[in-house]
């Protein structure tokens, strides 16, 4: 307006910033292998800011799976992405796929409006460890006189979960029920097991016959990953019997048509059964010893009682003379 002097007027204007910056993980799922040892996690910011922003990265997995101490990540004013390195633990243990969570929290926003999205991510760790299970040896030689043959399964490698196997016998030249009792069973290696034993009963028929063989096979149940079956087949050769009742030549189980030199067989014994028998014998000996001690004590006590109860006859001459004796009977010895 005319006639108004505004040269000395001062005006203050406050500008309120309503912009919101978003900070979060670049991915919501990270898939890694245990053998990677390290992997990088990216934290992104959707634009420049007037000042830096401090973020805290932390995780929730067990210490045996990864190493990620709480770490501070600083996003500078012009930075739109920063990385953090997470260390994995390669434990050489056969186990299932595992996962854990990592998360972000705001430490210092410097007066800037910040939203964390996404503020959590999942890390999936694929296990790359393998374990081997199978027959401890591929061939066994036995005699039907032994009554049974013990077949040993072995596991190589550490496991964090059970391993279930199907064991079946199969006829060769030896047939089920005529030469051995067929078996179809499930055997399970617990994490602490390294060996398991399966006993197959043999049929002792006292017949004159040549050497025969049958087989045992393993099949993995439940499609468990990274489990190798080596070897998955075992051959059991039963030595033949000659007309005089002695064992004959052995047919090599790996090649049933090949005849090798006669072989004597030492039957296998279940050491647990032997240990049980020995323990029972020791217990019987201890009980018999206690009985003998008790009877000896009773006999000694009985003899001491007899010593003081014995009646001594008085001489007939003394009885007739009447010296010191009231009658001709017996007197007690005190």
């Amino acid at each position: 307006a005319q006639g108004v002097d505004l040269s000395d007027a001062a005006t203050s204007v406050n500008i309120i910033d309503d912009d919101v910056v978003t900070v979060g993980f670049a991915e919501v799922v990270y898939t890694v292998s245990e053998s990677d040892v390290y992997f990088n996690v990216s934290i992104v910011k959707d634009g420049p800011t007037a000042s830096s922003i401090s973020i805290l990265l932390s995780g929730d997995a067990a210490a045996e799976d990864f190493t990620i101490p709480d770490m501070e990540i600083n996003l500078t004013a012009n930075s739109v992405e920063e990385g953090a390195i997470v260390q994995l633990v390669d434990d050489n243990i056969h186990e299932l796929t595992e996962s854990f969570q990592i998360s972000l929290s705001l430490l210092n926003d410097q007066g800037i409006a910040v939203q964390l999205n996404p503020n959590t991510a999942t890390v999936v760790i694929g296990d790359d460890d393998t374990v081997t299970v199978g027959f401890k040896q591929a061939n066994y030689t036995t005699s039907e006189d032994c009554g049974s043959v013990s077949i040993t399964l072995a596991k190589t490698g550490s496991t964090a979960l059970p391993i279930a196997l199907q064991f079946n016998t199969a006829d060769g030249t030896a047939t089920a029920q005529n030469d051995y009792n067929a078996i179809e069973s499930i055997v399970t290696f617990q994490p602490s097991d390294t060996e398991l034993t399966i006993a197959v009963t043999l049929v002792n028929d006292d017949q004159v016959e040549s050497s025969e063989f049958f087989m045992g096979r393993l099949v993995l149940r439940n499609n468990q990953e990274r489990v190798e079956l080596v070897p998955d087949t075992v051959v059991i050769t039963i030595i033949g019997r000659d007309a005089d009742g002695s064992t004959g030549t052995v047919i090599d189980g790996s090649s049933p048509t090949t005849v090798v030199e006669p072989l004597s067989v030492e039957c296998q014994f279940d050491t647990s059964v032997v240990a049980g028998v020995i323990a029972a014998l020791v217990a019987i000996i201890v009980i018999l010893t206690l009985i003998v001690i008790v009877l000896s004590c009773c006999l000694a006590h009985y003899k001491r009682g007899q010593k003081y109860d014995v009646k001594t006859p008085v001489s007939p001459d003394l009885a007739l003379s009447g010296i010191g004796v009231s009658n001709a009977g017996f007197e007690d010895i005190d």
Side-chain angles (χ1 to χ4, degrees):
Q2 190 175 7
V4 178
D5 186 4
L6 299 177
S7 59
D8 294 330
T11 303
S12 176
V13 178
N14 293 326
I15 301 174
I16 300 175
D17 185 13
D18 59 357
D19 295 323
V20 178
V21 65
T22 300
V23 177
F25 289 108
E27 302 176 44
V28 293
V29 177
Y30 293 87
T31 301
V32 297
S33 173
E34 190 177 69
S35 60
D36 291 341
V37 184
Y38 298 95
F39 74 97
N40 187 67
V41 175
S42 294
I43 292 91
V44 295
K45 184 176 67 172
D46 66 354
T49 53
S51 58
S52 62
I53 299 172
S54 296
I55 305 294
L56 181 67
L57 172 66
S58 56
D60 69 350
E64 65 266 18
D65 296 318
F66 81 114
T67 300
I68 178 172
D70 291 347
M71 69 177 69
E72 182 177 345
I73 299 171
N74 189 44
L75 291 154
T76 61
N78 295 319
S79 173
V80 293
E81 183 175 358
E82 292 291 339
I85 295 177
V86 178
Q87 182 177 354
L88 301 173
V89 177
D90 192 359
D91 53 17
N92 296 320
I93 298 176
H94 177 262
E95 55 195 345
L96 296 174
T97 298
E98 300 173 305
S99 64
F100 65 92
Q101 296 286 321
I102 51 177
S103 60
L104 298 175
S105 56
L106 190 62
L107 287 178
N108 190 344
D109 59 9
Q110 300 289 346
I112 301 171
V114 178
Q115 69 171 358
L116 298 177
N117 185 36
N119 66 338
T120 61
T122 300
V123 180
V124 179
I125 306 174
D127 185 48
D128 59 352
D129 299 308
T130 61
V131 63
T132 300
V133 294
F135 295 106
K136 190 173 184 179
Q137 60 190 71
N139 293 277
Y140 287 83
T141 300
T142 187
S143 168
E144 63 184 31
D145 294 335
C146 293
S148 66
V149 58
S150 294
I151 301 170
T152 303
L153 310 181
K155 181 186 73 176
T156 303
S158 299
T159 58
L161 59 157
I163 298 175
L165 306 167
Q166 177 78 38
F167 172 79
N168 295 330
T169 52
D171 288 350
T173 54
T175 58
Q177 310 315 315
N178 294 319
D179 301 297
Y180 70 96
N181 290 345
I183 292 180
E184 291 185 5
S185 64
I186 298 173
V187 292
T188 302
F189 277 96
Q190 298 300 328
S192 59
D193 294 332
T194 56
E195 290 189 357
L196 297 175
T197 300
I198 301 172
V200 180
T201 301
L202 305 175
V203 177
N204 191 351
D205 53 19
D206 293 327
Q207 294 181 2
V208 177
E209 53 191 347
S210 61
S211 296
E212 300 171 306
F213 76 97
F214 65 96
M215 293 167 289
R217 293 193 176 101
L218 290 175
V219 177
L220 190 64
R221 293 176 59 85
N222 303 328
N223 295 320
Q224 298 174 84
E225 297 179 354
R226 303 179 312 284
V227 177
E228 298 178 355
L229 291 178
V230 180
D232 61 354
T233 302
V234 64
V235 177
I236 303 96
T237 299
I238 306 173
I239 294 178
R241 187 188 303 277
D242 292 335
D244 60 0
S246 61
T247 55
T249 56
V250 179
I251 298 178
D252 185 355
S254 62
S255 178
T257 59
T258 303
V259 179
V260 298
E261 292 299 321
L263 178 69
S264 60
V265 175
E266 293 185 3
C267 296
Q268 300 166 315
F269 293 97
D270 189 337
T271 56
S272 63
V273 173
V274 174
V277 172
I278 293 175
L281 290 175
V282 170
I284 292 172
I285 292 172
V286 171
I287 293 172
L288 290 176
T289 301
L290 293 175
I291 292 174
V292 170
I293 293 172
V294 171
L295 290 177
S296 298
C297 292
C298 292
L299 182 59
H301 181 74
Y302 175 76
K303 287 182 176 179
R304 283 196 299 270
Q306 287 293 95
K307 178 179 178 181
Y308 295 105
D309 290 340
V310 171
K311 306 294 183 177
T312 303
V314 179
S315 171
D317 295 337
L318 292 177
L320 292 174
S321 63
I323 301 175
V325 181
S326 60
N327 55 57
F330 294 90
E331 67 178 359
D332 292 336
I333 298 175
D334 294 327

